[in-house]
Amino acid sequence: ETGVTQSPTHLIKTRGQQVTLRCSSQSGHNTVSWYQQALGQGPQFIFQYYREEENGRGNFPPRFSGLQFPNYSSELNVNALELDDSALYLCASSLGGGTAEKLFFGSGTQLSVL
Amino acid sequence: KQEVTQIPAALSVPEGENLVLNCSFTDSAIYNLQWFRQDPGKGLTSLLLIQSSQREQTSGRLNASLDKSSGRSTLYIAASQPGDSATYLCAVNYAGGTSYGKLTFGQGTILTVHP
């Protein structure tokens, strides 16, 4: 167990809807990163938040947005869902945002878009 | 383009065999490299983290090496067990970006250890 918790574990939505995924960081960690993992692929970096500010973004459209709260928990919001958004969404937390940090991953949210 | 490639895509071995998983990356300017294990439909479990200045890391039956000049890392698993069956992912933290948390992953090696 890493101490990183994600909710919900599974979610089914229809195309065009909006979804919010949640992540609670490991105690003491102030940096959260989000990844998308399509079936049979490695995870792809979406973005990172450090002390409530976005601190780097991958190649994802603006309809993917996020928030980090003062307690360092985080949300991933996806608007106008598309079928290709079906994937496992992983949250990872780390301490301090430095270069040598190890990332600790949660168990993920499995999103299905119909 | 900064990429990570893992070979083989899948591997099936009998219990007790020693095995090597390979990872290659395209840019030697890295902060660190991390090996993960993923069980079906689950999150990632960190196995070993090798900093840019290190050559290898060991944990139990696992040993990971790093050769930045050739852009390669290997994960060695000794005396494999059926419980080692999982997908193994290699992830590189490339230097130069604004986000230290950005890992670039390979597609993984699916390992099956049969009794």
Side-chain angles (χ1 to χ4, degrees), chain A residues 18-93:
Chain A
Q18 178 267 342
V19 68
T20 297
L21 310 181
R22 294 178 174 82
C23 173
S24 177
S25 303
Q26 185 164 313
S27 179
H29 287 186
N30 58 17
T31 303
V32 173
S33 305
W34 285 92
Y35 288 79
Q36 180 196 66
Q37 186 178 23
L39 191 64
Q41 304 294 316
Q44 299 287 319
F45 176 75
I46 303 175
F47 44 56
Q48 179 188 58
Y49 278 82
Y50 172 61
R51 293 185 175 179
E52 303 178 56
E53 297 287 331
E54 188 179 290
N55 180 35
R57 188 179 182 94
N59 189 27
F60 281 81
R63 60 189 185 84
F64 285 78
S65 63
L67 282 173
Q68 187 180 31
F69 301 100
N71 67 355
Y72 302 130
S73 66
S74 176
E75 285 183 355
L76 165 65
N77 298 289
V78 187
N79 293 323
L81 283 167
E82 301 177 359
L83 298 180
D84 285 349
D85 295 333
S86 295
L88 180 67
Y89 288 84
L90 296 164
C91 164
S93 75

Side-chain angles (χ1 to χ4, degrees), chain A residues 2 33 35 37 40-45 48 55-58 88 90 97-103 105-108 110, chain B residues 31-32 34 36 38 41-49 51 87 89 93 98-108:
Chain A
T2 63
S33 305
Y35 288 79
Q37 186 178 23
Q41 304 294 316
Q44 299 287 319
F45 176 75
Q48 179 188 58
N55 180 35
R57 188 179 182 94
L88 180 67
L90 296 164
T99 61
E101 303 305 330
K102 185 183 232 182
L103 270 65
F105 282 81
S107 298
Q110 185 67 55
Chain B
Y31 292 129
N32 56 54
Q34 201 164 351
F36 293 90
Q38 186 174 34
K42 303 294 185 183
L44 308 181
T45 300
S46 179
L47 299 173
L48 292 164
L49 170 71
Q51 301 295 352
T87 297
L89 292 157
N93 190 344
T98 58
S99 172
Y100 299 131
K102 180 182 178 182
L103 297 182
T104 301
F105 284 84
Q107 289 195 306

